[in-house]
Amino acid sequence: MKVFSTHFVLKGKSDYKDLAPVFRDILEALLEEIGQMPEEEEIFQMFVDMNMVDLERNRKPEGYNRKGKMRLIFPMDRKEFYLKTYSKATDMVKMTDFIGGLLTSAGVKFEILHNDRTDFE
């Protein structure tokens, strides 16, 4: 199965802790976009809290890797996160632009790469 991805590679001195101020907005937008926003605020807050503990300690967070049309992945081998989908029909432009705007407003230095690592599945 072919994988399509948009990578947000952290540059310069930007680090995981710099994502903390905007992570809730990123996750909320992603879950809304893929139709997986929990009806109960407590469940959504649990997803946020699980990631924020790591971000605030400048560690790689879990992300959101549940079955759906798009996933939010934090790989082990470099400071980045990416949106991954298995369908070319999924339009990632809206999410890419939204997340890019949030990162820029938070002062995070990053580079966007598309389909950077097509060897994963």
Side-chain angles (χ1 to χ4, degrees):
M1 180 178 282
K2 188 95 169 121
V3 176
F4 303 94
S5 62
T6 299
H7 300 250
F8 298 86
V9 181
L10 303 181
K11 294 293 188 185
K13 294 183 179 182
S14 291
D15 217 330
Y16 291 127
K17 68 184 180 321
D18 300 318
L19 302 176
V22 295
F23 183 78
R24 179 185 181 89
D25 295 332
I26 291 171
L27 185 59
E28 184 174 11
L30 173 72
L31 294 179
E32 290 286 348
E33 179 69 22
I34 65 175
Q36 291 188 355
M37 185 62 156
E39 290 183 25
E40 297 176 21
E41 174 65 25
E42 295 83 20
I43 294 172
F44 173 67
Q45 191 59 46
M46 178 193 66
F47 290 136
V48 172
D49 291 345
M50 285 176 9
N51 285 281
M52 289 300 288
V53 167
D54 289 325
L55 289 172
E56 290 168 348
R57 293 182 177 155
N58 204 31
R59 297 187 311 217
K60 180 193 91 60
E62 179 181 323
Y64 189 82
N65 193 15
R66 286 157 182 79
K67 191 170 186 154
K69 67 180 187 178
M70 205 180 307
R71 298 175 184 188
L72 175 65
I73 310 292
F74 285 82
M76 298 293 289
D77 59 345
R78 69 178 175 185
K79 299 239 185 206
E80 74 167 281
F81 64 95
Y82 58 91
L83 300 174
K84 175 172 93 170
T85 182
Y86 294 96
S87 170
K88 202 171 202 167
T90 301
D91 183 12
M92 296 185 6
V93 173
K94 179 179 164 186
M95 282 302 301
T96 300
D97 291 345
F98 179 76
I99 292 172
L102 287 174
L103 296 176
T104 299
S105 71
V108 177
K109 304 292 184 222
F110 65 97
E111 172 184 18
I112 294 176
L113 302 174
H114 297 281
N115 298 323
D116 181 42
R117 296 161 28 152
T118 56
D119 59 332
F120 57 12
E121 292 209 35

